[in-house]
Amino acid sequence: MLRKHINLLYALYLFTKSDIKTIFLPVTLFAWYSCPSTSASAMFSAALWSWMHLLQFCVSNQAMSPDEDAINKPWRPIPSGRITPYGAAVLRWTLLPLCFMYSVYHKIMAAGTIFAIGVLLHNECMLDSHWFTRNVLNALGYAVFDAGATAIAQQATKSILPATSLVAHYLSIAIVLTTIHAQDFQDEAGDRLTNRRTIPIVMPRLGRLSMLIMPILWSVGLAIGWSRSPVLSAILFCLGVTVGLRFYLWRSAGADRTSYILYNIWLGLARITPIA
């Protein structure tokens, strides 16, 4: 029985493994920086809310595209045989009310509702198949994650968020909207199989050029307009240049995976620069 429970928990982890570094950790960090005087219990609740909603998204997404995962990420629960497609579908629709009830419990019903609709549009309605709707929904997803986690963390302080936190929130939406296609270069082979129209497929040259330019532009803009730390500004700029050059010069799937890891480090720093 214990082994069965461990296997189940490991399968749930595998659903979210790829997005721990891209969503869970950055969102938790953003919430903590936005509410530094929050309590440990509030931060735990914020982190749990983020992970539960991330799990809802990942299960929904992976249940809709098992063929893509068989090529790009065969270790995931469905292609590796840890769970059947039917079991994943049951889990997906079980998580929907569980996540919603947890949002209601923390009095952030709006965030839970918007997130559920966004997941439905992104996955079941297949709006992730086109680069424009994909980027818009990804930016909306980050915004809802940040809003929900920050609201839970803020409940321990019972104070109004500082203006810098609100600025960081809206800047984050813009940064994600203009750079999140960084995640699509490494998955180009699987995306072609499922007929997705991502930026690396539709406009490969412009997509690479945008990844050279945008991280550098955002790094300079954040350093000049919002950063209060010369050291953080220097690190952010160096990372932005590194990420941009890597995406533009090294174009294999393996190189894109490494570039995407560095991109997530850069994105995490960029998102907290106005409040760090």
Side-chain angles (χ1 to χ4, degrees), residues 29-30 56 100 106 121 142 154 162 208 217 221 228 239:
L29 183 66
F30 186 91
Q56 179 191 163
F100 184 74
H106 284 289
L121 293 174
Y142 268 92
Q154 184 190 4
R208 292 282 178 181
L217 282 182
R228 290 171 288 178
L239 272 173

Side-chain angles (χ1 to χ4, degrees), residues 214-255:
M214 295 309 299
I216 298 175
L217 282 182
W218 275 116
S219 298
V220 172
L222 290 168
I224 295 175
W226 290 280
S227 176
R228 290 171 288 178
S229 169
V231 174
L232 179 59
S233 297
I235 295 173
L236 186 66
F237 178 77
C238 290
L239 272 173
V241 171
T242 301
V243 168
L245 289 175
R246 280 195 59 91
F247 270 112
Y248 192 73
L249 297 176
W250 289 279
R251 306 187 178 192
S252 67

Side-chain angles (χ1 to χ4, degrees), residues 47-259:
L48 180 60
W49 183 90
S50 298
W51 184 79
M52 285 179 61
H53 284 74
L54 175 61
L55 180 63
Q56 179 191 163
F57 171 82
C58 290
V59 174
S60 170
N61 182 260
Q62 293 169 40
M64 295 297 298
S65 56
D67 293 336
E68 177 195 350
D69 284 339
I71 295 175
N72 293 332
K73 300 178 179 70
W75 46 264
R76 281 179 166 173
I78 298 176
S80 66
R82 289 181 176 273
I83 189 171
T84 65
Y86 175 76
V90 171
L91 178 60
R92 185 265 185 272
W93 296 110
T94 301
L95 285 166
L96 176 62
L98 287 178
C99 289
F100 184 74
M101 286 188 292
Y102 197 52
S103 295
V104 172
Y105 173 77
H106 284 289
K107 301 177 182 178
I108 51 171
M109 186 172 63
T113 301
I114 294 171
F115 184 87
I117 294 172
V119 171
L120 185 67
L121 293 174
H122 188 279
N123 297 329
E124 280 76 16
C125 294
M126 301 180 68
L127 293 186
D128 67 324
S129 297
H130 190 276
W131 64 268
F132 179 76
T133 49
R134 182 180 178 86
N135 278 27
V136 170
L137 287 172
N138 279 324
L140 175 64
Y142 268 92
V144 176
F145 268 117
D146 286 340
T150 302
I152 295 174
Q154 184 190 4
Q155 289 172 0
T157 65
K158 301 184 184 301
S159 60
I160 299 175
L161 285 178
T164 51
S165 294
L166 296 176
V167 169
H169 179 73
Y170 292 116
L171 283 173
S172 175
I173 296 174
I175 295 170
V176 171
L177 180 64
T178 54
T179 64
I180 196 60
H181 54 282
Q183 66 183 332
D184 297 327
F185 290 97
Q186 61 182 332
D187 294 332
E188 183 177 347
D191 287 339
R192 286 185 182 277
L193 178 68
T194 54
N195 295 317
R196 284 180 174 166
R197 305 290 290 170
T198 62
I199 285 179
I201 295 174
V202 175
M203 50 185 92
R205 292 183 180 179
L206 183 60
R208 292 282 178 181
L209 184 61
S210 70
M211 287 310 302
L212 171 64
I213 295 173
M214 295 309 299
I216 298 175
L217 282 182
W218 275 116
S219 298
V220 172
L222 290 168
I224 295 175
W226 290 280
S227 176
R228 290 171 288 178
S229 169
V231 174
L232 179 59
S233 297
I235 295 173
L236 186 66
F237 178 77
C238 290
L239 272 173
V241 171
T242 301
V243 168
L245 289 175
R246 280 195 59 91
F247 270 112
Y248 192 73
L249 297 176
W250 289 279
R251 306 187 178 192
S252 67
D256 285 334
R257 281 191 288 271
T258 301
S259 298

